[in-house]
Short mmCIF file of all heavy atoms in Angstrom, two decimals:
data_model
loop_
_atom_site.label_atom_id
_atom_site.label_comp_id
_atom_site.label_asym_id
_atom_site.label_seq_id
_atom_site.Cartn_x
_atom_site.Cartn_y
_atom_site.Cartn_z
N PHE K 1448 9.32 0.79 -14.96
CA PHE K 1448 8.87 0.39 -13.83
C PHE K 1448 9.59 -0.96 -13.44
O PHE K 1448 9.05 -1.87 -12.77
CB PHE K 1448 7.39 0.14 -13.84
CG PHE K 1448 6.52 1.38 -13.96
CD1 PHE K 1448 5.75 1.57 -14.97
CD2 PHE K 1448 6.74 2.43 -13.03
CE1 PHE K 1448 5.00 2.80 -15.13
CE2 PHE K 1448 6.06 3.64 -13.18
CZ PHE K 1448 5.14 3.83 -14.15
N SER K 1449 10.71 -1.14 -13.88
CA SER K 1449 11.49 -2.34 -13.69
C SER K 1449 11.75 -2.51 -12.17
O SER K 1449 12.09 -1.69 -11.45
CB SER K 1449 12.87 -2.27 -14.39
OG SER K 1449 13.63 -3.38 -14.11
N GLY K 1450 11.53 -3.83 -11.73
CA GLY K 1450 11.87 -4.09 -10.28
C GLY K 1450 10.70 -3.87 -9.35
O GLY K 1450 10.90 -4.04 -8.19
N ILE K 1451 9.52 -3.41 -9.86
CA ILE K 1451 8.44 -3.07 -8.95
C ILE K 1451 7.63 -4.35 -8.76
O ILE K 1451 7.38 -5.17 -9.67
CB ILE K 1451 7.53 -2.01 -9.62
CG1 ILE K 1451 8.38 -0.67 -9.49
CG2 ILE K 1451 6.27 -1.90 -8.88
CD1 ILE K 1451 7.70 0.53 -10.12
N VAL K 1452 7.21 -4.59 -7.55
CA VAL K 1452 6.41 -5.74 -7.02
C VAL K 1452 5.04 -5.56 -7.75
O VAL K 1452 4.50 -4.52 -7.68
CB VAL K 1452 6.36 -5.84 -5.53
CG1 VAL K 1452 5.41 -6.80 -5.11
CG2 VAL K 1452 7.70 -5.95 -4.92
N GLY K 1453 4.51 -6.65 -8.24
CA GLY K 1453 3.15 -6.62 -8.84
C GLY K 1453 2.04 -6.57 -7.69
O GLY K 1453 2.33 -6.99 -6.60
N GLN K 1454 0.96 -6.10 -8.09
CA GLN K 1454 -0.19 -5.86 -7.12
C GLN K 1454 -0.54 -7.23 -6.55
O GLN K 1454 -0.97 -7.25 -5.39
CB GLN K 1454 -1.28 -5.19 -7.80
CG GLN K 1454 -1.09 -3.76 -8.09
CD GLN K 1454 -2.33 -3.04 -8.62
OE1 GLN K 1454 -3.38 -3.38 -8.38
NE2 GLN K 1454 -2.01 -2.03 -9.49
N VAL K 1455 -0.51 -8.32 -7.30
CA VAL K 1455 -0.99 -9.60 -6.87
C VAL K 1455 -0.11 -10.00 -5.70
O VAL K 1455 -0.60 -10.61 -4.62
CB VAL K 1455 -0.87 -10.65 -7.96
CG1 VAL K 1455 -1.21 -12.02 -7.40
CG2 VAL K 1455 -1.92 -10.32 -9.13
N ARG K 1456 1.22 -9.75 -5.70
CA ARG K 1456 2.12 -10.14 -4.53
C ARG K 1456 1.86 -9.29 -3.38
O ARG K 1456 2.24 -9.65 -2.25
CB ARG K 1456 3.51 -10.02 -5.01
CG ARG K 1456 3.93 -11.17 -5.89
CD ARG K 1456 5.36 -11.22 -6.36
NE ARG K 1456 6.27 -11.09 -5.25
CZ ARG K 1456 7.52 -10.59 -5.39
NH1 ARG K 1456 7.96 -10.18 -6.55
NH2 ARG K 1456 8.26 -10.47 -4.32
N LEU K 1457 1.27 -8.11 -3.54
CA LEU K 1457 1.00 -7.22 -2.41
C LEU K 1457 -0.19 -7.63 -1.56
O LEU K 1457 -0.14 -7.31 -0.32
CB LEU K 1457 0.69 -5.78 -2.92
CG LEU K 1457 1.89 -5.03 -3.59
CD1 LEU K 1457 1.38 -3.61 -4.02
CD2 LEU K 1457 3.02 -4.92 -2.58
N GLN K 1458 -1.13 -8.32 -2.17
CA GLN K 1458 -2.39 -8.66 -1.41
C GLN K 1458 -2.08 -9.31 -0.06
O GLN K 1458 -2.57 -8.93 0.90
CB GLN K 1458 -3.23 -9.59 -2.29
CG GLN K 1458 -3.87 -8.72 -3.45
CD GLN K 1458 -4.97 -7.88 -3.10
OE1 GLN K 1458 -5.51 -7.87 -1.91
NE2 GLN K 1458 -5.28 -6.98 -3.98
N PRO K 1459 -1.23 -10.49 -0.08
CA PRO K 1459 -1.11 -11.10 1.20
C PRO K 1459 -0.33 -10.18 2.21
O PRO K 1459 -0.72 -10.29 3.44
CB PRO K 1459 -0.19 -12.37 0.87
CG PRO K 1459 0.07 -12.26 -0.56
CD PRO K 1459 -0.68 -11.12 -1.15
N ILE K 1460 0.52 -9.39 1.75
CA ILE K 1460 1.32 -8.48 2.73
C ILE K 1460 0.28 -7.41 3.27
O ILE K 1460 0.33 -7.27 4.49
CB ILE K 1460 2.46 -7.75 1.88
CG1 ILE K 1460 3.40 -8.78 1.33
CG2 ILE K 1460 3.03 -6.60 2.77
CD1 ILE K 1460 4.36 -8.04 0.37
N VAL K 1461 -0.57 -6.88 2.50
CA VAL K 1461 -1.50 -5.94 3.03
C VAL K 1461 -2.53 -6.68 3.96
O VAL K 1461 -2.77 -6.17 5.04
CB VAL K 1461 -2.43 -5.28 1.85
CG1 VAL K 1461 -3.55 -4.45 2.35
CG2 VAL K 1461 -1.42 -4.47 0.99
N GLN K 1462 -3.04 -7.80 3.59
CA GLN K 1462 -4.01 -8.60 4.39
C GLN K 1462 -3.35 -8.89 5.73
O GLN K 1462 -4.09 -9.00 6.81
CB GLN K 1462 -4.48 -9.82 3.67
CG GLN K 1462 -5.41 -9.41 2.50
CD GLN K 1462 -6.59 -8.69 2.93
OE1 GLN K 1462 -7.35 -9.07 3.82
NE2 GLN K 1462 -6.99 -7.60 2.26
N GLN K 1463 -2.14 -9.25 5.90
CA GLN K 1463 -1.42 -9.61 7.11
C GLN K 1463 -1.42 -8.42 8.04
O GLN K 1463 -1.52 -8.55 9.28
CB GLN K 1463 0.01 -9.99 6.87
CG GLN K 1463 0.26 -11.41 6.39
CD GLN K 1463 1.72 -11.79 6.23
OE1 GLN K 1463 2.51 -10.76 6.05
NE2 GLN K 1463 2.04 -12.99 6.35
N ASN K 1464 -1.32 -7.22 7.48
CA ASN K 1464 -1.27 -5.99 8.29
C ASN K 1464 -2.59 -5.36 8.55
O ASN K 1464 -2.77 -4.81 9.66
CB ASN K 1464 -0.29 -5.00 7.62
CG ASN K 1464 1.14 -5.51 7.75
OD1 ASN K 1464 1.77 -5.14 8.65
ND2 ASN K 1464 1.60 -6.10 6.68
N VAL K 1465 -3.43 -5.37 7.56
CA VAL K 1465 -4.78 -4.76 7.73
C VAL K 1465 -5.82 -5.66 7.00
O VAL K 1465 -5.95 -5.46 5.82
CB VAL K 1465 -4.77 -3.25 7.10
CG1 VAL K 1465 -6.17 -2.65 7.28
CG2 VAL K 1465 -3.74 -2.39 7.71
N PRO K 1466 -6.35 -6.56 7.74
CA PRO K 1466 -7.43 -7.36 7.10
C PRO K 1466 -8.60 -6.56 6.64
O PRO K 1466 -9.04 -5.59 7.33
CB PRO K 1466 -7.82 -8.36 8.26
CG PRO K 1466 -6.74 -8.29 9.25
CD PRO K 1466 -6.17 -6.89 9.11
N GLY K 1467 -9.15 -6.91 5.51
CA GLY K 1467 -10.29 -6.18 4.97
C GLY K 1467 -10.36 -6.29 3.45
O GLY K 1467 -9.60 -7.13 2.87
N ASP K 1468 -11.21 -5.45 2.84
CA ASP K 1468 -11.39 -5.40 1.43
C ASP K 1468 -10.53 -4.26 0.81
O ASP K 1468 -10.71 -3.13 1.26
CB ASP K 1468 -12.83 -5.24 1.06
CG ASP K 1468 -13.70 -6.40 1.42
OD1 ASP K 1468 -13.23 -7.56 1.40
OD2 ASP K 1468 -14.82 -6.22 1.89
N VAL K 1469 -9.60 -4.62 -0.14
CA VAL K 1469 -8.88 -3.59 -0.87
C VAL K 1469 -9.85 -2.78 -1.73
O VAL K 1469 -10.58 -3.39 -2.53
CB VAL K 1469 -7.76 -4.23 -1.63
CG1 VAL K 1469 -7.04 -3.17 -2.50
CG2 VAL K 1469 -6.78 -4.89 -0.74
N ILE K 1470 -9.94 -1.51 -1.59
CA ILE K 1470 -10.82 -0.69 -2.38
C ILE K 1470 -10.16 0.18 -3.30
O ILE K 1470 -10.83 0.80 -4.25
CB ILE K 1470 -11.84 0.13 -1.44
CG1 ILE K 1470 -11.08 1.01 -0.47
CG2 ILE K 1470 -12.79 -0.85 -0.72
CD1 ILE K 1470 -11.93 1.89 0.42
N GLU K 1471 -8.81 0.41 -3.21
CA GLU K 1471 -8.11 1.22 -4.12
C GLU K 1471 -6.59 0.94 -3.98
O GLU K 1471 -6.11 0.76 -2.96
CB GLU K 1471 -8.38 2.72 -3.74
CG GLU K 1471 -7.75 3.73 -4.72
CD GLU K 1471 -8.07 5.18 -4.34
OE1 GLU K 1471 -9.09 5.43 -3.72
OE2 GLU K 1471 -7.23 6.02 -4.70
N VAL K 1472 -5.95 0.98 -5.15
CA VAL K 1472 -4.48 0.74 -5.12
C VAL K 1472 -3.78 1.91 -6.13
O VAL K 1472 -4.39 2.02 -7.31
CB VAL K 1472 -4.02 -0.53 -5.68
CG1 VAL K 1472 -2.56 -0.70 -5.74
CG2 VAL K 1472 -4.69 -1.76 -4.83
N GLU K 1473 -2.90 2.64 -5.54
CA GLU K 1473 -2.30 3.65 -6.37
C GLU K 1473 -0.68 3.41 -6.33
O GLU K 1473 -0.25 3.04 -5.31
CB GLU K 1473 -2.51 5.07 -5.93
CG GLU K 1473 -3.84 5.59 -6.09
CD GLU K 1473 -3.97 7.04 -5.64
OE1 GLU K 1473 -3.01 7.71 -5.42
OE2 GLU K 1473 -5.15 7.39 -5.25
N LEU K 1474 -0.11 3.64 -7.46
CA LEU K 1474 1.35 3.62 -7.54
C LEU K 1474 1.84 5.02 -7.68
O LEU K 1474 1.48 5.67 -8.67
CB LEU K 1474 1.87 2.68 -8.69
CG LEU K 1474 3.35 2.64 -8.90
CD1 LEU K 1474 4.06 1.90 -7.66
CD2 LEU K 1474 3.58 1.86 -10.15
N ASP K 1475 2.61 5.58 -6.74
CA ASP K 1475 3.04 6.89 -6.73
C ASP K 1475 4.54 7.00 -6.62
O ASP K 1475 5.18 6.11 -5.98
CB ASP K 1475 2.40 7.71 -5.55
CG ASP K 1475 0.95 8.04 -5.73
OD1 ASP K 1475 0.48 8.17 -6.90
OD2 ASP K 1475 0.19 8.05 -4.73
N HIS K 1476 5.17 8.08 -7.12
CA HIS K 1476 6.54 8.34 -6.93
C HIS K 1476 6.80 9.43 -5.83
O HIS K 1476 6.17 10.51 -5.97
CB HIS K 1476 7.25 8.75 -8.19
CG HIS K 1476 8.66 8.78 -8.16
ND1 HIS K 1476 9.36 9.90 -7.79
CD2 HIS K 1476 9.56 7.81 -8.24
CE1 HIS K 1476 10.63 9.72 -7.69
NE2 HIS K 1476 10.82 8.36 -7.99
N ASP K 1477 7.42 9.09 -4.86
CA ASP K 1477 7.67 10.04 -3.69
C ASP K 1477 9.22 10.44 -3.85
O ASP K 1477 10.10 9.54 -3.99
CB ASP K 1477 7.47 9.30 -2.38
CG ASP K 1477 7.70 10.17 -1.19
OD1 ASP K 1477 8.90 10.31 -0.81
OD2 ASP K 1477 6.81 10.78 -0.66
N ASP K 1478 9.55 11.67 -3.71
CA ASP K 1478 10.97 12.18 -3.85
C ASP K 1478 11.81 11.60 -2.76
O ASP K 1478 13.05 11.35 -3.09
CB ASP K 1478 10.99 13.64 -3.93
CG ASP K 1478 10.37 14.30 -5.11
OD1 ASP K 1478 10.40 13.64 -6.11
OD2 ASP K 1478 10.02 15.57 -5.02
N ASP K 1479 11.25 11.32 -1.63
CA ASP K 1479 12.10 10.83 -0.53
C ASP K 1479 12.23 9.33 -0.60
O ASP K 1479 13.31 8.80 -0.26
CB ASP K 1479 11.45 11.13 0.83
CG ASP K 1479 11.47 12.66 1.12
OD1 ASP K 1479 12.42 13.37 0.58
OD2 ASP K 1479 10.64 13.24 1.72
N HIS K 1480 11.24 8.62 -1.00
CA HIS K 1480 11.24 7.16 -0.86
C HIS K 1480 11.23 6.42 -2.22
O HIS K 1480 11.25 5.16 -2.23
CB HIS K 1480 10.02 6.71 -0.07
CG HIS K 1480 10.06 7.13 1.40
ND1 HIS K 1480 9.16 8.16 1.74
CD2 HIS K 1480 10.90 6.91 2.42
CE1 HIS K 1480 9.46 8.44 3.06
NE2 HIS K 1480 10.46 7.69 3.44
N GLY K 1481 11.11 7.12 -3.29
CA GLY K 1481 10.95 6.45 -4.61
C GLY K 1481 9.53 5.91 -4.85
O GLY K 1481 8.56 6.54 -4.34
N TRP K 1482 9.40 4.88 -5.56
CA TRP K 1482 8.12 4.35 -5.95
C TRP K 1482 7.51 3.59 -4.68
O TRP K 1482 8.14 2.93 -4.02
CB TRP K 1482 8.14 3.38 -7.03
CG TRP K 1482 8.51 3.92 -8.41
CD1 TRP K 1482 9.70 4.01 -9.00
CD2 TRP K 1482 7.60 4.79 -9.25
NE1 TRP K 1482 9.57 4.76 -10.16
CE2 TRP K 1482 8.30 5.26 -10.35
CE3 TRP K 1482 6.23 5.04 -9.01
CZ2 TRP K 1482 7.71 6.01 -11.24
CZ3 TRP K 1482 5.67 5.80 -10.11
CH2 TRP K 1482 6.43 6.35 -11.19
N GLU K 1483 6.23 4.00 -4.48
CA GLU K 1483 5.53 3.33 -3.36
C GLU K 1483 4.00 3.01 -3.78
O GLU K 1483 3.47 3.83 -4.61
CB GLU K 1483 5.49 4.15 -2.05
CG GLU K 1483 4.77 5.43 -2.09
CD GLU K 1483 4.88 6.07 -0.72
OE1 GLU K 1483 5.61 5.72 0.09
OE2 GLU K 1483 4.04 7.06 -0.53
N TYR K 1484 3.45 1.95 -3.24
CA TYR K 1484 2.02 1.67 -3.40
C TYR K 1484 1.24 2.33 -2.25
O TYR K 1484 1.74 2.26 -1.07
CB TYR K 1484 1.74 0.24 -3.45
CG TYR K 1484 2.06 -0.48 -4.76
CD1 TYR K 1484 3.15 -1.35 -4.80
CD2 TYR K 1484 1.20 -0.32 -5.74
CE1 TYR K 1484 3.36 -1.97 -5.95
CE2 TYR K 1484 1.46 -0.97 -6.96
CZ TYR K 1484 2.56 -1.83 -7.10
OH TYR K 1484 2.84 -2.41 -8.32
N GLU K 1485 0.15 2.86 -2.54
CA GLU K 1485 -0.83 3.37 -1.48
C GLU K 1485 -2.03 2.58 -1.67
O GLU K 1485 -2.74 2.57 -2.70
CB GLU K 1485 -1.14 4.74 -1.60
CG GLU K 1485 0.02 5.74 -1.35
CD GLU K 1485 -0.26 7.16 -1.60
OE1 GLU K 1485 -1.36 7.57 -1.98
OE2 GLU K 1485 0.69 8.00 -1.32
N VAL K 1486 -2.33 1.69 -0.65
CA VAL K 1486 -3.43 0.72 -0.84
C VAL K 1486 -4.49 1.12 0.28
O VAL K 1486 -4.05 1.16 1.49
CB VAL K 1486 -2.89 -0.74 -0.54
CG1 VAL K 1486 -4.11 -1.70 -0.60
CG2 VAL K 1486 -1.93 -1.08 -1.54
N LYS K 1487 -5.79 1.35 -0.12
CA LYS K 1487 -6.82 1.67 0.79
C LYS K 1487 -7.60 0.39 1.09
O LYS K 1487 -7.95 -0.40 0.08
CB LYS K 1487 -7.72 2.68 0.27
CG LYS K 1487 -6.97 4.11 0.21
CD LYS K 1487 -7.86 5.09 -0.19
CE LYS K 1487 -7.04 6.45 -0.33
NZ LYS K 1487 -7.86 7.60 -0.67
N VAL K 1488 -7.85 0.10 2.34
CA VAL K 1488 -8.51 -1.09 2.75
C VAL K 1488 -9.75 -0.71 3.62
O VAL K 1488 -9.61 0.05 4.59
CB VAL K 1488 -7.57 -2.06 3.70
CG1 VAL K 1488 -8.30 -3.25 4.07
CG2 VAL K 1488 -6.34 -2.31 2.83
N LEU K 1489 -10.84 -1.35 3.23
CA LEU K 1489 -12.12 -1.19 4.09
C LEU K 1489 -12.12 -2.22 5.19
O LEU K 1489 -12.15 -3.49 4.76
CB LEU K 1489 -13.34 -1.19 3.31
CG LEU K 1489 -14.63 -1.09 3.97
CD1 LEU K 1489 -14.80 0.29 4.68
CD2 LEU K 1489 -15.80 -1.27 3.03
N THR K 1490 -11.97 -1.98 6.39
CA THR K 1490 -11.90 -2.96 7.41
C THR K 1490 -13.34 -3.46 7.78
O THR K 1490 -14.31 -2.78 7.39
CB THR K 1490 -11.21 -2.42 8.73
OG1 THR K 1490 -12.02 -1.42 9.28
CG2 THR K 1490 -9.79 -1.97 8.34
N ALA K 1491 -13.37 -4.52 8.58
CA ALA K 1491 -14.74 -5.16 8.97
C ALA K 1491 -15.56 -4.16 9.82
O ALA K 1491 -16.75 -4.22 9.70
CB ALA K 1491 -14.46 -6.39 9.84
N ASN K 1492 -14.88 -3.21 10.45
CA ASN K 1492 -15.65 -2.29 11.42
C ASN K 1492 -15.96 -0.96 10.56
O ASN K 1492 -16.47 0.02 11.17
CB ASN K 1492 -14.92 -1.94 12.60
CG ASN K 1492 -13.56 -1.30 12.44
OD1 ASN K 1492 -13.23 -1.02 11.37
ND2 ASN K 1492 -12.91 -1.04 13.50
N GLY K 1493 -15.74 -0.98 9.28
CA GLY K 1493 -16.13 0.18 8.54
C GLY K 1493 -15.11 1.27 8.34
O GLY K 1493 -15.32 2.25 7.59
N ARG K 1494 -13.96 1.08 8.96
CA ARG K 1494 -12.82 2.07 8.85
C ARG K 1494 -12.08 1.92 7.54
O ARG K 1494 -11.94 0.80 7.08
CB ARG K 1494 -11.85 2.00 9.99
CG ARG K 1494 -12.46 2.58 11.26
CD ARG K 1494 -11.50 2.22 12.46
NE ARG K 1494 -10.22 2.82 12.29
CZ ARG K 1494 -9.21 2.46 13.04
NH1 ARG K 1494 -9.41 1.60 14.05
NH2 ARG K 1494 -8.08 3.05 12.86
N VAL K 1495 -11.66 3.01 6.97
CA VAL K 1495 -10.73 2.92 5.77
C VAL K 1495 -9.35 3.16 6.32
O VAL K 1495 -9.06 4.16 6.90
CB VAL K 1495 -11.05 3.90 4.66
CG1 VAL K 1495 -10.11 3.86 3.54
CG2 VAL K 1495 -12.53 3.61 4.13
N ARG K 1496 -8.49 2.26 6.01
CA ARG K 1496 -6.99 2.28 6.40
C ARG K 1496 -6.25 2.45 5.17
O ARG K 1496 -6.52 1.83 4.16
CB ARG K 1496 -6.56 1.21 7.28
CG ARG K 1496 -7.34 0.81 8.43
CD ARG K 1496 -7.25 1.66 9.72
NE ARG K 1496 -6.00 2.16 10.04
CZ ARG K 1496 -5.22 1.68 10.99
NH1 ARG K 1496 -5.54 0.51 11.60
NH2 ARG K 1496 -4.05 2.19 11.28
N GLU K 1497 -5.14 3.14 5.20
CA GLU K 1497 -4.23 3.32 4.07
C GLU K 1497 -2.89 2.69 4.40
O GLU K 1497 -2.30 3.01 5.52
CB GLU K 1497 -3.97 4.77 3.71
CG GLU K 1497 -3.15 4.93 2.48
CD GLU K 1497 -3.08 6.34 1.96
OE1 GLU K 1497 -2.28 7.13 2.66
OE2 GLU K 1497 -3.71 6.64 0.89
N VAL K 1498 -2.44 1.78 3.54
CA VAL K 1498 -1.17 1.07 3.78
C VAL K 1498 -0.27 1.66 2.73
O VAL K 1498 -0.54 1.49 1.50
CB VAL K 1498 -1.34 -0.41 3.68
CG1 VAL K 1498 -0.07 -1.15 3.95
CG2 VAL K 1498 -2.37 -0.91 4.68
N LYS K 1499 0.92 2.08 3.11
CA LYS K 1499 1.98 2.54 2.09
C LYS K 1499 3.03 1.50 2.12
O LYS K 1499 3.61 1.14 3.19
CB LYS K 1499 2.45 3.91 2.49
CG LYS K 1499 1.45 5.00 2.37
CD LYS K 1499 1.98 6.36 2.60
CE LYS K 1499 0.81 7.39 2.43
NZ LYS K 1499 1.37 8.78 2.44
N LEU K 1500 3.34 1.06 0.94
CA LEU K 1500 4.39 -0.03 0.72
C LEU K 1500 5.44 0.42 -0.18
O LEU K 1500 5.21 1.12 -1.24
CB LEU K 1500 3.77 -1.31 0.28
CG LEU K 1500 2.66 -1.88 0.99
CD1 LEU K 1500 1.28 -1.62 0.34
CD2 LEU K 1500 2.83 -3.34 1.31
N ASP K 1501 6.73 0.00 0.02
CA ASP K 1501 7.80 0.24 -0.92
C ASP K 1501 7.43 -0.64 -2.12
O ASP K 1501 7.27 -1.89 -2.02
CB ASP K 1501 9.05 -0.30 -0.21
CG ASP K 1501 10.29 -0.14 -1.16
OD1 ASP K 1501 10.38 -0.67 -2.24
OD2 ASP K 1501 11.19 0.73 -0.78
N ALA K 1502 7.42 -0.09 -3.25
CA ALA K 1502 6.99 -0.74 -4.51
C ALA K 1502 8.02 -1.80 -4.97
O ALA K 1502 7.73 -2.61 -5.77
CB ALA K 1502 6.66 0.22 -5.60
N ARG K 1503 9.27 -1.54 -4.60
CA ARG K 1503 10.34 -2.58 -5.05
C ARG K 1503 10.43 -3.71 -4.10
O ARG K 1503 10.72 -4.78 -4.57
CB ARG K 1503 11.65 -1.70 -5.21
CG ARG K 1503 11.59 -0.72 -6.25
CD ARG K 1503 13.02 -0.20 -6.59
NE ARG K 1503 12.86 0.84 -7.53
CZ ARG K 1503 12.70 0.74 -8.89
NH1 ARG K 1503 12.52 -0.37 -9.40
NH2 ARG K 1503 12.67 1.82 -9.64
N SER K 1504 10.30 -3.46 -2.84
CA SER K 1504 10.53 -4.63 -1.88
C SER K 1504 9.26 -5.25 -1.32
O SER K 1504 9.23 -6.32 -0.82
CB SER K 1504 11.40 -4.06 -0.69
OG SER K 1504 10.64 -3.26 0.12
N GLY K 1505 8.20 -4.48 -1.38
CA GLY K 1505 6.92 -4.90 -0.76
C GLY K 1505 6.82 -4.60 0.78
O GLY K 1505 5.85 -4.95 1.34
N MET K 1506 7.87 -3.98 1.35
CA MET K 1506 7.81 -3.68 2.74
C MET K 1506 6.90 -2.58 3.10
O MET K 1506 6.79 -1.67 2.35
CB MET K 1506 9.25 -3.32 3.22
CG MET K 1506 10.17 -4.50 3.28
SD MET K 1506 11.88 -4.03 3.98
CE MET K 1506 11.42 -3.46 5.60
N VAL K 1507 6.12 -2.83 4.26
CA VAL K 1507 5.16 -1.75 4.72
C VAL K 1507 5.98 -0.58 5.21
O VAL K 1507 6.86 -0.77 6.05
CB VAL K 1507 4.23 -2.36 5.77
CG1 VAL K 1507 3.32 -1.27 6.34
CG2 VAL K 1507 3.43 -3.52 5.17
N ARG K 1508 5.63 0.58 4.76
CA ARG K 1508 6.32 1.86 5.25
C ARG K 1508 5.45 2.53 6.28
O ARG K 1508 5.98 3.12 7.29
CB ARG K 1508 6.47 2.85 4.05
CG ARG K 1508 7.60 2.31 3.18
CD ARG K 1508 7.79 3.56 2.17
NE ARG K 1508 8.97 3.19 1.34
CZ ARG K 1508 9.08 3.58 0.10
NH1 ARG K 1508 8.19 4.54 -0.38
NH2 ARG K 1508 10.10 3.30 -0.70
N LYS K 1509 4.17 2.47 6.15
CA LYS K 1509 3.24 3.22 7.03
C LYS K 1509 1.77 2.67 6.92
O LYS K 1509 1.36 2.33 5.81
CB LYS K 1509 3.30 4.73 6.54
CG LYS K 1509 2.63 5.68 7.55
CD LYS K 1509 2.88 7.08 7.02
CE LYS K 1509 2.47 8.13 7.98
NZ LYS K 1509 2.78 9.47 7.57
N ILE K 1510 1.16 2.73 8.01
CA ILE K 1510 -0.27 2.38 8.10
C ILE K 1510 -1.03 3.53 8.75
O ILE K 1510 -0.62 3.86 9.89
CB ILE K 1510 -0.51 1.05 8.80
CG1 ILE K 1510 0.10 -0.06 8.11
CG2 ILE K 1510 -2.11 0.79 8.91
CD1 ILE K 1510 0.11 -1.31 8.81
N GLU K 1511 -2.04 4.12 8.18
CA GLU K 1511 -2.79 5.15 8.83
C GLU K 1511 -4.17 5.17 8.44
O GLU K 1511 -4.62 4.57 7.53
CB GLU K 1511 -2.04 6.49 8.36
CG GLU K 1511 -2.11 6.67 6.92
CD GLU K 1511 -1.26 7.88 6.44
OE1 GLU K 1511 -0.61 8.51 7.34
OE2 GLU K 1511 -1.27 8.30 5.31
N ASP K 1512 -4.99 5.89 9.23
CA ASP K 1512 -6.38 6.08 9.01
C ASP K 1512 -6.50 7.04 7.75
O ASP K 1512 -5.74 8.00 7.64
CB ASP K 1512 -7.18 6.69 10.15
CG ASP K 1512 -7.34 5.62 11.19
OD1 ASP K 1512 -7.42 4.47 10.95
OD2 ASP K 1512 -7.41 6.13 12.39
N ASP K 1513 -7.45 6.69 6.84
CA ASP K 1513 -7.60 7.51 5.69
C ASP K 1513 -8.83 8.53 5.93
O ASP K 1513 -9.63 8.34 6.56
CB ASP K 1513 -7.89 6.75 4.43
CG ASP K 1513 -7.80 7.54 3.14
OD1 ASP K 1513 -6.97 8.35 2.95
OD2 ASP K 1513 -8.78 7.43 2.42
#
C-alpha cells in the first residue's frame, strides 16, 4: 500500500465536499482506477452520500447518493 494517503488526511477533503459525519471508510481496488477510498457520510439532513477518492492523490473522483 505504498503511496496511499492515510485516512486522517482524507477527513478535511471529504468534509470540504460533503459536510457531515463519516460513518464508513473502505479501501478498494478498482481495475480502471487503481486504489480508491469509498467514504460514506451522513449529512445533516439525514442523507447518506458516498465520496470516492483516489487513494494515492486524495482527489475526489465521484460523489453520489448511497
Side-chain angles (χ1 to χ4, degrees):
F1448 297 122
S1449 177
I1451 291 180
V1452 174
Q1454 290 184 28
V1455 173
R1456 288 185 47 207
L1457 291 180
Q1458 290 287 344
I1460 298 168
V1461 171
Q1462 290 298 313
Q1463 279 181 336
N1464 288 277
V1465 182
D1468 296 323
V1469 173
I1470 56 175
E1471 185 178 333
V1472 178
E1473 287 184 22
L1474 178 62
D1475 287 328
H1476 188 268
D1477 180 279
D1478 289 337
D1479 295 328
H1480 299 110
W1482 289 103
E1483 71 178 9
Y1484 281 108
E1485 294 179 358
V1486 182
K1487 292 187 181 178
V1488 179
L1489 178 62
T1490 64
N1492 64 2
R1494 288 173 55 194
V1495 176
R1496 308 286 318 263
E1497 185 174 74
V1498 183
K1499 294 186 179 187
L1500 304 105
D1501 182 296
R1503 295 195 186 280
S1504 70
M1506 289 184 60
V1507 174
R1508 288 188 177 150
K1509 188 176 194 180
I1510 299 172
E1511 60 191 5
D1512 289 331
D1513 189 49

